[in-house]
Amino acid sequence: MTRGDQRRGHAWGVLFLGLAVAWATGCKKEPPAEAASPVDAGVATVSVADAGTRRVYAETVAKVVKPLRFSDVVIARQGLRVDVTYTLANPGTAQGRGDACMTLLDEQGHPIEVVHLGGIVVKGGLEDTFEDHVTVADLQWSQTRTVLLFTMPYRHLCDSTSRSPTSEPLRLLPSGKPAAADLAVPAPRKETKPEDLQVYDIEVTQEGTLSSYAIRYRVKNVSDHRASGSGCLRAYGGQDTRAIEESNVGNFDLAPGASVTLTDAITFQEDKHWDTVTLLRLFASHFGCGDEEESENPGFSFDKPAGVRSPVEEEAADDEAEDDAAPADEVTE
């Protein structure tokens, strides 16, 4: 079964508590179905004694629900596209229906991203093979050391915190090969806070006299957990004034202690404001420019480079060049 139309999302907290429970119980020997297996909601149950003394209709007998199981997983990446092929077996009698999901984990077992693979339907007692295609950025994939496959109930997305997974979790290497059996259960991802990040080595440039501005800077995660977000460059006319312009510059997702150098274009609503700007401030946060200015996240303030100004119209620039040029028969020293 092959599908397109993929979605992606982030999920931490309760989701991984549910995975932890499934991880802990997935390898245990299953008790007899009639003694300990859960049943579908809304279906009447019938005791053993009743079954032997009166007629029982098939539609009134509870269907046994057991976790789905992954097997024969193949993961292949080309460019930004990741192809995931897998088989899902349904050992229970109730239909398995919902969504297949894949969590990317770093070398410390921290979740980087949760990816929605696609919808699944597997009849009780049967198995089916699925093939899904998703897009994963180089930034996330390059830091992925293992992946965790699991399924969620119907109408509960991969980042749902209200329900537990409906399959036994399967942890693999990004190549699709089995991961070490002694790997720790993934820990919930902590919220990225302003104090988790530092920015430095900032350089703002302009390409000639054109409206082409860029920034290059380094951001470091100084916390003990993963931190993600984007940089925000705000421009001011002077000290203690409100920002005239702002621009989101660069995205990052960093392990504890890691840093990265980012280069991105600076986009202001009005380029003419560059002649008014005297002060620039770069800070990093989870939501970038979506976050308000706070004392807890001062970022790094610096003077606007003298060579950066509003763009010069192309015709005006040509006129200035002609005026400045000496006549052909005039010798200059």
Side-chain angles (χ1 to χ4, degrees):
M1 183 178 294
T2 304
R3 294 181 296 270
D5 186 22
Q6 306 301 332
R7 290 176 293 172
R8 306 171 63 187
H10 294 275
W12 334 116
V14 178
L15 168 62
F16 289 96
L17 294 178
L19 285 173
V21 173
W23 189 289
T25 60
C27 297
K28 294 181 179 179
K29 184 178 180 181
E30 296 174 352
E34 64 271 19
S37 297
V39 297
D40 287 342
V43 180
T45 57
V46 178
S47 68
V48 176
D50 288 339
T53 57
R54 63 183 176 85
R55 184 178 180 182
V56 179
Y57 293 93
E59 60 267 24
T60 65
V61 179
K63 293 183 178 180
V64 178
V65 179
K66 295 182 179 180
L68 303 178
R69 294 171 182 166
F70 283 91
S71 64
D72 301 329
V73 180
V74 177
I75 301 175
R77 186 171 191 259
Q78 183 174 6
L80 301 180
R81 170 170 157 161
V82 178
D83 299 329
V84 185
T85 304
Y86 54 94
T87 297
L88 275 174
N90 185 353
T93 57
Q95 183 187 73
R97 186 181 182 192
D99 289 283
C101 312
M102 179 173 68
T103 299
L104 311 181
L105 303 163
D106 66 13
E107 59 187 2
Q108 298 179 349
H110 296 156
I112 299 173
E113 186 171 8
V114 177
V115 182
H116 173 261
L117 296 178
I120 56 97
V121 177
V122 185
K123 294 183 179 180
L126 300 178
E127 64 180 30
D128 199 356
T129 299
F130 301 86
E131 181 181 348
D132 291 310
H133 316 287
V134 295
T135 299
V136 180
D138 287 332
L139 178 62
Q140 279 72 35
W141 193 258
S142 64
Q143 299 180 73
T144 299
R145 297 297 176 265
T146 58
V147 300
L148 187 67
L149 298 179
F150 60 98
T151 62
M152 291 296 288
Y154 178 58
R155 291 183 177 175
H156 287 78
L157 300 180
C158 296
D159 57 358
S160 173
T161 58
S162 61
R163 293 290 298 273
S164 297
T166 54
S167 70
E168 296 178 356
L170 179 63
R171 193 157 177 175
L172 303 167
L173 300 177
S175 63
K177 295 181 180 180
D182 58 350
L183 290 175
V185 176
R189 180 159 181 168
K190 296 182 180 179
E191 178 185 358
T192 299
K193 297 182 178 180
E195 56 267 28
D196 297 337
L197 305 164
Q198 288 182 354
V199 293
Y200 51 97
D201 294 346
I202 305 167
E203 182 182 7
V204 173
T205 58
Q206 179 183 10
E207 183 180 343
T209 59
L210 305 177
S211 58
S212 179
Y213 305 90
I215 185 171
R216 185 176 184 273
Y217 69 96
R218 196 163 186 82
V219 58
K220 182 176 183 179
N221 176 8
V222 296
S223 74
D224 62 353
H225 56 85
R226 288 199 72 87
S228 63
S230 65
C232 177
L233 181 70
R234 286 195 169 118
Y236 306 83
Q239 291 283 358
D240 302 323
T241 61
R242 294 180 62 85
I244 302 173
E245 292 278 2
E246 66 180 21
S247 176
N248 280 309
V249 286
N251 300 310
F252 54 85
D253 193 325
L254 300 170
S259 62
V260 64
T261 298
L262 301 173
T263 302
D264 202 359
I266 302 172
T267 305
F268 286 168
Q269 290 186 351
E270 294 287 348
D271 287 335
K272 65 182 181 181
H273 285 156
W274 278 105
D275 283 342
T276 307
V277 171
T278 63
L279 185 69
L280 295 168
R281 172 176 172 262
L282 174 68
F283 68 94
S285 72
H286 186 64
F287 297 106
C289 291
D291 285 333
E292 299 292 335
E293 297 185 37
E294 299 177 354
S295 58
E296 292 82 3
N297 190 11
F300 187 86
S301 298
F302 57 102
D303 293 332
K304 183 195 73 172
V308 177
R309 64 179 203 176
S310 299
V312 178
E313 294 295 334
E314 187 173 347
E315 292 183 2
D318 291 341
D319 292 340
E320 291 179 5
E322 291 177 3
D323 293 340
D324 294 339
D329 57 351
E330 181 179 337
V331 178
T332 60
E333 296 181 358

